[in-house]
Amino acid sequence: MAKQSSRNQPNPPRSRKQDVRDAKREQARLQAEKQAKQRKQLMIIGGIGALALVVVIALILLNRDDSGSAAPPVVAAPAPLDVPMQGLTLGSPDAPVTVVEYGDYQCPPCGDFARNGFHPLIDEFVATGQVQFHYIPMSFLGDESILAAEAALCANTQGQFWPMHESIFSNQFGRNQGGFSRSRLEQMASKLELDMDAFRSCMDNGDQRGAVSNYAATATQNGVSSTPTFIINNGEPEGWSNYAALRDLINSALGG
Amino acid sequence: MSRRTRDLIAIGLGFLSVAIAAYLTLVHYEEELLVCSVVSGCKTVQSSEYAMVGPAPVALLGLLASLVMLGIAIARPRLPEMRFTTTAVLAGMLLAGLLYLGYLTWLELFVIEAICQWCVAYLIVTLLWFGHEAYDLRAMFVTVDDDFDDA
């Protein structure tokens, strides 16, 4: 009833001051509302931005590999191979099939072959006189690839190419991150009981640097553009996926 | 530019992003991939030790992120009341992608020393898409009273 009667009564005239005050109040309310919305927007953007940053940092930490950390201690080379060795060649010269591997000591897939394909290949085909295996260092992945190849060739001057070759692949560590620093290569040579004076002199004088360059140039001239590349009986270049695939190729060359 | 056009551009960039990420994922899983290549940057990059995040290939993570972002871009026109939030989420994901792709590009240039052209293409698409979403977000932020419905 009271409402009804108040509705029927004419509104008392509003003063100008009241109008201004109401307008200001409305403006302040709208302003506060707008600010609250903007604060909420900023919180959404800030929260999502912070989350994005956390995700990126987590991804980088998970992806970091061993960057920034020191190379692990040098591990000993695998057991010596029980097959004829001559320089960078393994196996009988009378073997019906030759397999040439072009490799870079820093290339992870070359390391994968060294760890998972090399010994089965030696046991199954080289030790049985069916394959003669050659390694050609194609050093294109940086200074440590060249240094590692020099170390392997310096070891070769002492008749120890293959133990050094295996030792280098066993100690792969990133790319140009100190895995094949001079001191680590010397530790590998020392573990193999090489004549260290001769080894250091060979490395210091760069006796094998020219040979390393020549091998790389030869590989390029032969059209090899990736490592590891396998040439079986002078055939087409073949890549590395797994030992079963390589064995099939060798068996084909053997006519099996 | 109308909102519909902006949505269509975002969806187009999303499809492009998914296509490139799918190609990179396929390349990663190719058996022949196990090489260090003198000439083909993508194979070298994809077979490097930096191509994995834990057990998952980076390319696969990129593909999953692209699919999620494409899904959001497609759903956004149907959720007008959530436009600001969906756009902010997209911009955030794209920002994370950009930062991570920046890190990967730094790795390519200075650590792996090989450039994967498709990774660069993915970076460009992500950059364009982020610019697009950031512009959209800024427009909504400025006209807060008109467009901002869910905040």
Side-chain angles (χ1 to χ4, degrees), chain A residues 73-191:
Chain A
V74 167
V75 299
L81 299 166
D82 190 19
V83 289
M85 297 180 200
Q86 179 66 49
L88 279 62
T89 300
L90 282 175
S92 165
D94 301 327
V97 169
T98 57
V99 175
V100 179
E101 180 199 356
Y102 291 86
D104 183 297
Y105 285 115
Q106 289 199 98
C107 172
C110 298
D112 187 62
F113 165 70
R115 287 184 295 275
N116 302 311
F118 182 64
H119 279 270
L121 172 78
I122 299 303
D123 293 343
E124 190 171 350
F125 294 108
V126 179
T128 53
Q130 298 176 88
V131 164
Q132 190 183 42
F133 185 83
H134 306 269
Y135 181 80
I136 295 182
M138 179 184 171
S139 310
F140 69 100
L141 292 176
D143 292 345
E144 289 189 28
S145 294
I146 295 168
L147 209 58
E150 272 189 72
L153 295 180
C154 284
N156 186 42
T157 61
Q158 299 183 41
Q160 295 293 313
F161 173 80
W162 290 101
M164 190 66 179
H165 171 87
E166 289 217 79
S167 185
I168 290 171
F169 274 129
S170 300
N171 287 288
Q172 249 189 1
F173 174 75
R175 189 176 297 179
N176 300 312
Q177 292 174 25
F180 298 142
S181 64
R182 174 68 186 266
S183 68
R184 274 172 58 88
L185 290 167
E186 282 189 14
Q187 285 177 56
M188 292 172 213
S190 172
K191 276 185 190 290

